[in-house]
Amino acid sequence: MVINGERLISHLKDVREFTDTPGNGVTRFSYSENDSKVREYILDKARSAGCSIETDAVGNIRLGLKNNTDSQKIIVCGSHIDTVRNGGWLDGIYGSLSSLEVMLTLSENSYSGRYGFETVIFAEEEGSNFGSTMTGSKFITGIYGDEDLDRLKDDSGRTLREYLSIDSLPDDIIWDFDRYRAMFELHIEQGPVLDRENIPIGIINAVFGMRTVEITVTGVGNHAGATPMSERFDALSAAALCILSAEKIVSEDPDRRTVATAGKMSISPNCSNVIPESVTFTLEIRDSDIHKIDSYMEKVLDEIRNICADRKCTVSIREHSKGAPVILNEDIRKRMIKTAQKKNLTYKVMDSGAVHDAAMIAPHIDTGMIFVPSIEGRSHVPFEDTKTEDLVTGAQFLLDVITGEME
Ligand code: HGY
Ligand code: MN
Ligand code: MN
């Protein structure tokens, strides 16, 4: 059975246009107008293929293959459709539309195998609205509950409950995991490994864990012109030293695997002629070993406290979120390796520095992840791209795993 690669690429190119920042990458936050347009685009294709459609209270979508039977266990594939700000045209949507393409191909071939098939579209994976990654899958797995509808707020203070305008979270938002045989997420690598080594398929061993803290450094605001350098308590200068110290400490990791990023910052009062009074920034540390994440985070936070004390600034630290690394299912990994060998595909078993919804599902359903190369290893930027043949190879490989080694 062969997917329709041209159709997949044309779907990806159609959906790329649903962005708030045309000409500057794809910006498509969950619950936005463009998010709704992509949803409608996908649901329209699903309807024409006679698929069942179910959208849950937080916006996760499940599409069921027309001839799924109640007695079959299900193989579910999918990813997300939301993006970061000025992101790329493939992150998330590639796995979602590839799963749709697999489903259309199975339907056109009147496939009826051992297992049924579903496509899942996870809501709010990037956390662009509320700063919490994998939000949709955290509701599906019960990590998040009704109270989180009020806890999760966007920068304007609007809560997720207000976005969804729901009174209470229905109990059936948590999946009946016994229904499922396996879950697969196909995704672009978003890093340099496969592209650099010219390998078309990545088979994922572990998805990195990640701990994020929010740090507020407070100094003394003052006049930028009249305040002598020797009398300043500049919050931004102190914060800059803090961020550089995080980079230095983590860059010394002997395995050269741990990563630290300060990606979001607000400055108060943020005027060119005022010495910054306070600065709030996020700091996230990721690794495949939770103990390394914690030991580096504690080391960095100690150093940040020292820097602020030296500069007579105060510092407050708020734990924002934490997710442990997840080793994906070994049996599923072996089945994917066997499929790659049978298809004479070069592959590489590797870890994922990016987090993914598959990591949330993995404790409940045997889960596998497949990567395709990212050109120059870049992602979360307008440059994000993958060769057409690699996009098609990845989706075909997903179909071959499902209809081959999984049978
Ligand atoms: O941050 C991540 O790793 C994912 O792209 N949300
Ligand atoms: Mn993604
Ligand atoms: Mn992403």
Side-chain angles (χ1 to χ4, degrees):
M1 217 179 312
V2 180
I3 64 154
N4 182 332
E6 269 178 39
R7 177 170 59 188
L8 169 61
I9 300 304
S10 97
H11 287 170
L12 283 165
K13 287 183 175 167
D14 285 350
V15 165
R16 174 166 60 182
E17 302 312 313
F18 299 137
T19 168
D20 298 350
T21 52
N24 188 13
V26 181
T27 302
R28 187 170 58 234
F29 289 8
S30 286
Y31 318 115
S32 66
E33 200 185 320
N34 278 305
D35 178 67
S36 310
K37 284 182 185 164
V38 172
R39 286 166 180 273
E40 197 34 50
Y41 182 94
I42 292 173
L43 295 188
D44 181 48
K45 309 283 177 222
R47 276 185 213 104
S48 352
C51 300
S52 64
I53 296 172
E54 189 192 334
T55 303
D56 72 17
V58 299
N60 298 303
I61 297 173
R62 266 186 290 194
L63 308 171
L65 188 62
K66 185 171 48 185
N67 45 7
N68 282 353
T69 65
D70 291 343
S71 58
Q72 285 175 308
K73 285 226 172 205
I74 300 285
I75 292 179
V76 57
C77 298
S79 190
H80 59 98
I81 57 174
D82 63 314
T83 74
V84 295
R85 182 174 292 110
N86 304 113
W89 72 297
L90 294 170
D91 177 1
I93 192 72
Y94 167 59
S96 300
L97 291 181
S98 293
S99 182
L100 175 70
E101 175 53 37
V102 164
M103 195 153 76
L104 296 177
T105 305
L106 292 174
S107 174
E108 285 154 1
N109 287 273
S110 315
Y111 176 78
S112 66
R114 193 170 161 198
Y115 302 110
F117 184 84
E118 282 183 358
T119 288
V120 59
I121 310 282
F122 295 108
E124 186 69 0
E125 187 278 342
E126 293 292 0
S128 301
N129 284 309
F130 313 106
S132 159
T133 54
M134 304 172 290
T135 295
S137 51
K138 285 176 180 170
F139 278 102
I140 284 172
T141 52
I143 293 173
Y144 282 176
D146 194 84
E147 67 285 356
D148 295 293
L149 295 175
D150 302 309
R151 181 180 64 82
L152 294 169
K153 292 187 174 75
D154 70 10
D155 289 344
S156 73
R158 189 174 173 216
T159 66
L160 176 53
R161 194 187 298 275
E162 287 163 332
Y163 269 83
L164 300 170
S165 52
I166 57 173
D167 294 331
S168 64
L169 201 62
D171 295 339
D172 64 357
I173 191 134
I174 295 179
W175 282 7
D176 169 10
F177 293 109
D178 290 341
R179 279 188 68 227
Y180 291 95
R181 167 64 187 88
M183 190 259 171
F184 291 90
E185 183 168 4
L186 172 61
H187 205 285
I188 53 172
E189 179 200 335
Q190 303 182 288
V193 174
L194 296 175
D195 183 52
R196 206 166 278 166
E197 299 181 25
N198 199 22
I199 296 175
I201 292 288
I203 293 175
I204 306 312
N205 172 49
V207 178
F208 271 24
M210 146 180 180
R211 181 175 161 192
T212 305
V213 295
E214 188 180 76
I215 298 169
T216 298
V217 176
T218 306
V220 176
N222 215 329
H223 194 290
T227 311
M229 293 309 285
S230 59
E231 295 175 28
R232 293 180 178 220
F233 306 99
D234 183 330
L236 185 53
S237 304
L241 278 177
C242 294
I243 293 166
L244 285 172
S245 74
E247 182 187 64
K248 182 171 182 310
I249 290 168
V250 171
S251 300
E252 286 160 2
D253 175 48
D255 305 331
R256 309 195 63 71
R257 194 186 56 207
T258 315
V259 289
T261 311
K264 186 174 180 180
M265 177 181 272
S266 61
I267 301 168
S268 172
N270 203 26
C271 301
S272 64
N273 58 354
V274 181
I275 300 169
E277 166 98 17
S278 74
V279 170
T280 297
F281 61 94
T282 56
L283 176 68
E284 55 152 82
I285 292 184
R286 305 192 194 198
D287 194 290
S288 58
D289 174 346
I290 190 69
H291 304 297
K292 283 185 75 176
I293 291 173
D294 284 334
S295 74
Y296 276 117
M297 183 61 90
E298 294 315 320
K299 216 180 273 177
V300 166
L301 293 180
D302 283 346
E303 183 57 20
I304 284 176
R305 291 185 189 96
N306 295 337
I307 289 166
C308 290
D310 284 352
R311 299 183 72 95
K312 297 193 180 44
C313 290
T314 57
V315 60
S316 69
I317 295 156
R318 183 175 74 84
E319 285 294 334
H320 178 281
S321 53
K322 185 174 175 182
V326 173
I327 308 281
L328 298 180
N329 182 274
E330 187 177 5
D331 171 59
I332 298 289
R333 189 165 40 254
K334 283 183 182 158
R335 292 170 187 263
M336 292 195 282
I337 289 170
K338 258 174 126 182
T339 307
Q341 289 165 342
K342 276 188 185 159
K343 299 291 179 181
N344 292 318
L345 274 173
T346 316
Y347 66 91
K348 182 182 186 78
V349 177
M350 59 193 289
D351 289 342
S352 170
V355 294
H356 297 285
D357 293 302
M360 296 295 105
I361 302 296
H364 307 279
I365 305 175
D366 292 354
T367 297
M369 272 206 88
I370 303 162
F371 276 176
V372 294
S374 291
I375 294 173
E376 293 184 24
R378 296 198 59 203
S379 178
H380 278 187
V381 289
F383 178 92
E384 180 184 281
D385 205 359
T386 295
K387 285 183 216 141
T388 299
E389 77 245 34
D390 287 340
L391 293 172
V392 175
T393 300
Q396 182 62 50
F397 180 68
L398 177 63
L399 178 67
D400 292 340
V401 170
I402 289 159
T403 56
E405 285 309 315
M406 287 306 294
E407 273 301 336

